[in-house]
Every structure is written in structure tokens, then in C-alpha cells.
Amino acid sequence: MDEQTPTAAPAPPDGSAVRVLVVDDEPDLVEVLCGVLRYEGWQVRGAADGTTAVAAAAELRPDAVVLDVMLPDVDGLEVLRRIRAVQPEVCVLFLTARDAVEDRIAGITAGGDDYVTKPFSLEEVVARLRGLLRRAGMARPRSGAAPVPGDGCLVVGDLVMDEEAREVSRGGEVVELSPTEFALLRFLMRNPRRVLSKAQILDHVWSYDFGGQAHVVELYISYLRRKIDAGRRPLIHTVRGAGYVLKPVQS
């Protein structure tokens, strides 16, 4: 798992401090989480409701958001939608007090990158955030220009990924991906023409199995298909009973 791998602490490429927004309607919890994350050397801001959170995100431009699902005004899923509309690359770690599988997956379905269930350990929150930030590479888009095939790029057909700049294009058109979508596509592109099982994808992209809920893979594959394959000949294929494969279009 990410948190078990000894690596340098995540940091933006410009050397600035990681910026994290903590959103929860329990003031004591916000205070504790902010204190722990500041101890990591990160720049942290707290918010107690959805409206404040959206405004704070616009000002702070966080690298990651720790977001409670249940908020007094706007629920966390709507907050996620509003923040991602402005900052699609931000990492989002959901907090939920409910432990039903359906509720755990709801945040992921809405586009969250990970979740922890209350009550949780502070160490777990820090570890999950570190994993998300490393997965995201801490790089922000440089110019909006499509990546050009060359050194440092993965290329499958007309699909190009610049891993260093974290930019993706297909047929010269820029494709905006969330951190988890980017990590999934990168795994597929590093293994072109190879059938990857759901278990392999869970292990390499999420580093754990959501309690065996492999349908999160199906969900994120559908997200990628809408962004990568919509209106085009498909690159992502389902191999029934085996998994998924990314391969160039045959002329």
C-alpha cells in the first residue's frame, strides 16, 4: 500500500507546501485534523459548511480536500461537484459516519478519490492523503496544450499521456482527468494490449480492494470511456470474465 512504501513526502514541483482544505461540521474534529496536517508541514484551512468550503477552495486552490459527506447546508457530494468544476485535478478524501457499502461507494461514484469511515485514526487520514498526493504527482497543468509524443510520454494509438506534466490528449484534444482517472489510465497505458483483471487494477491503482467491491473499477472504467472513447473508435475494451485491455484502433 502507498502508506507502507518509504518515499519522500509529497510536495508540489515548485517546492511550495501542500495545501489542504478540511471540511466538517464538527469544529473539534476540524481543529484536530488541521493541527495534525500542519504538523506534516502542509498549509491547511478548515471550513464548517459547504458554502464556506467552496469559497475557501476558490481562494486556497488546495491540492487535496478532506470532505465530510454530511454538511449542514450543501452536502459533500455537491461541494465536490462545485470544486471540481473549477479545479478538476484536486484530490478528494471523503469522510463518512456511515459504514454501509453503498454509502462508502457513493462518494467514489460522485468522483471522490478515496474515503475513510468515522471513527478513524488520524494516522489513517494522513496515510490516505499521502497516497492520493503521490498518486496525483503534485503537478498542475502547465498550459492546457495537448502533450506531444516524445520522451516522457506514453503513447497508445492517438492517445498520449505526458506523465511528468500530467497531461493527456487523444487525437490532439486535451482530456481533463481526475487524479484517480489519471492513475487508472496510466496503468492501462503502461500495459497496452495486456488484459488486466479488476483485482490487478485495484491493487495497482487503489492499493486496496474496497472490501472486495471491485465494481469501483467498472465505475472508473466507465468514466474513462466517456472521456477517452466518446464519439471515437474505442481504445478501452472489456474482456468478458477476464478484465480490461487498452489497445490501439486497428486500421
Side-chain angles (χ1 to χ4, degrees):
M1 295 178 64
D2 285 328
E3 57 268 32
Q4 294 175 333
T5 303
T7 60
D14 61 5
S16 62
V18 169
R19 296 187 294 273
V20 182
L21 176 64
V22 177
V23 187
D24 196 289
D25 62 352
E26 299 179 42
D28 291 344
L29 179 58
V30 171
E31 183 178 356
V32 170
L33 281 173
C34 286
V36 169
L37 298 180
R38 288 190 184 105
Y39 186 76
E40 293 289 311
W42 298 346
Q43 181 183 346
V44 187
R45 182 176 300 183
D49 58 63
T51 302
T52 304
V54 172
E59 181 179 346
L60 180 65
R61 298 288 294 181
D63 300 296
V65 180
V66 181
L67 181 58
D68 189 14
V69 173
M70 302 299 294
L71 294 170
D73 55 347
V74 182
D75 71 36
L77 306 185
E78 176 62 17
V79 172
L80 168 64
R81 186 189 68 78
R82 295 183 187 182
I83 292 176
R84 277 270 173 79
V86 177
Q87 195 178 351
E89 75 276 12
V90 69
C91 302
V92 176
L93 175 66
F94 270 117
L95 307 178
T96 175
R98 299 169 295 184
D99 58 4
V101 169
E102 293 79 8
D103 292 328
R104 296 184 198 179
I105 300 300
I108 304 299
T109 303
D113 297 294
D114 204 348
Y115 70 90
V116 291
T117 302
K118 297 179 181 178
F120 49 77
S121 71
L122 296 174
E123 292 82 0
E124 180 181 15
V125 172
V126 173
R128 293 291 179 87
L129 280 175
R130 281 177 169 270
L132 288 179
L133 291 167
R134 283 196 295 271
R135 185 190 304 167
M138 296 310 309
R140 296 181 177 81
R142 295 177 299 186
S143 63
V148 178
D151 291 343
C153 286
L154 299 174
V155 181
V156 178
D158 61 349
L159 182 65
V160 181
M161 172 181 284
D162 185 328
E163 293 186 274
E164 182 178 346
R166 302 190 69 79
E167 295 171 348
V168 175
S169 71
R170 182 167 183 195
E173 296 182 10
V174 174
V175 180
E176 296 287 350
L177 300 178
S178 73
T180 300
E181 291 166 349
F182 186 93
L184 173 56
L185 182 61
R186 178 171 55 191
F187 185 49
L188 293 173
M189 292 187 73
R190 285 179 174 176
N191 295 275
R193 298 184 177 86
R194 176 185 174 192
V195 178
L196 301 170
S197 70
K198 292 179 183 177
Q200 287 175 308
I201 293 172
L202 282 167
D203 182 59
H204 284 80
V205 177
W206 282 270
S207 300
Y208 60 96
D209 65 2
F210 279 97
Q213 298 304 312
H215 63 270
V216 72
V217 176
E218 299 173 11
L219 181 67
Y220 269 87
I221 288 289
S222 72
Y223 290 165
L224 280 184
R225 280 177 165 150
R226 286 201 294 267
K227 294 184 176 183
I228 299 296
D229 287 344
R232 304 179 176 96
R233 294 178 65 183
L235 295 174
I236 303 171
H237 302 270
T238 300
V239 180
R240 190 175 300 276
Y244 303 96
V245 60
L246 181 76
K247 57 185 178 180
V249 173
Q250 299 298 317
S251 58

